[in-house]
Amino acid sequence: MGRRPWRCYRIIKNKPYPKSRYCRGVPEPKIKLFDLGNKSSAEKNLPLCVHLISNEFQQISSESIESARIACNKYLTTKVGKDLFHLKIRIHPFHVIRINKMLSCAGADRLQSGMRGAFGKPCGLTSRVVKNQVLISVRSKSYKAYEVIESLRRAKFKFPGKQKIIISQKWGFTFISKMNYINYINSNNK
């Protein structure tokens, strides 16, 4: 039996339903790695920061997060090199989705009870995303901006809904703007 189409789960309808001692038998999320590339690089080495931002209020499956991570990482490692970027997945799949399995064979109405007791079994994990939430962030060298934007554009096709790519005004993954960071470094070197 195949998976249901994602249009069944894309809209955020009910309360969050995380894995707990009451909600057991939840499959593992498909995504395991959330940091890729040169993770240990210092802030001063990778000044450029580009974000992929959600433009909708929706749910995103762990499978689509994993495929976006693979697409983005593959392009960056071939075009930029694995030492010149740091890719960070900023969303985590915690919300459990359920499926009420139905038989589709002849005489199924005799075997099933229809919508009686329709609370489904866990079948996957999603992350709940609000508008203007950062999905993926990449930091790199300033002259590799085109390659980073292209990698995020390719990752964008793996997600449902609309996304936008934004070049951050901050220095890398820090909260300091580029001008303030340069002034701070220069003042410390004196």
Side-chain angles (χ1 to χ4, degrees), residues 4-185:
R4 275 188 186 165
W6 192 247
R7 65 174 175 264
C8 302
Y9 301 107
R10 185 177 156 191
I11 298 165
I12 298 176
K13 294 178 189 172
N14 304 321
K15 294 175 185 173
Y17 187 58
K19 183 178 177 180
S20 66
R21 61 181 173 167
Y22 309 109
C23 172
R24 297 182 302 275
V26 178
E28 287 294 311
K30 295 290 182 281
I31 183 162
K32 298 279 188 245
L33 300 170
F34 292 90
D35 274 325
L36 296 152
N38 193 355
K39 296 175 276 194
S40 59
S41 179
E43 277 83 26
K44 63 179 182 180
N45 297 337
L46 303 173
L48 175 75
C49 182
V50 184
H51 300 298
L52 180 66
I53 293 176
S54 171
N55 217 11
E56 287 184 26
F57 187 70
Q58 63 181 355
Q59 294 186 148
I60 297 176
S61 69
S62 63
E63 289 87 357
S64 64
I65 300 169
E66 173 69 5
S67 62
R69 180 193 70 83
I70 290 167
C72 195
N73 183 46
K74 191 174 282 187
Y75 188 83
L76 285 171
T77 48
T78 55
K79 299 290 181 181
V80 176
K82 62 183 180 190
D83 294 332
L84 292 178
F85 76 94
H86 177 197
L87 170 72
K88 189 180 274 248
I89 305 292
R90 304 283 289 275
I91 50 174
H92 292 254
F94 292 121
H95 177 70
V96 178
I97 54 174
R98 304 182 297 265
I99 185 167
N100 180 28
K101 286 187 179 171
M102 299 288 224
L103 295 172
S104 59
C105 57
D109 54 331
R110 296 169 187 274
L111 304 170
Q112 285 180 195
S113 57
M115 290 299 287
R116 183 182 294 168
F119 194 85
K121 299 267 193 300
C123 68
L125 287 162
T126 68
S127 59
R128 297 182 147 210
V129 172
V130 296
K131 196 171 182 178
N132 295 329
Q133 184 176 343
V134 178
L135 305 177
I136 302 174
S137 296
V138 182
R139 65 182 177 129
S140 183
K141 297 281 187 187
S142 297
Y143 62 89
K144 295 289 186 183
Y146 174 77
E147 286 85 355
V148 172
I149 291 167
E150 175 62 21
S151 70
L152 289 176
R153 189 190 70 83
R154 290 178 179 219
K156 208 163 73 160
F157 294 125
K158 310 296 181 185
F159 292 125
K162 294 177 182 172
Q163 292 83 29
K164 53 189 174 186
I165 298 168
I166 289 179
I167 299 173
S168 176
Q169 298 301 311
K170 310 290 186 201
W171 185 281
F173 287 163
T174 64
F175 295 108
I176 307 165
S177 67
K178 290 183 181 176
M179 286 303 298
N180 290 348
Y181 189 88
I182 292 165
N183 294 339
Y184 175 73
I185 295 294

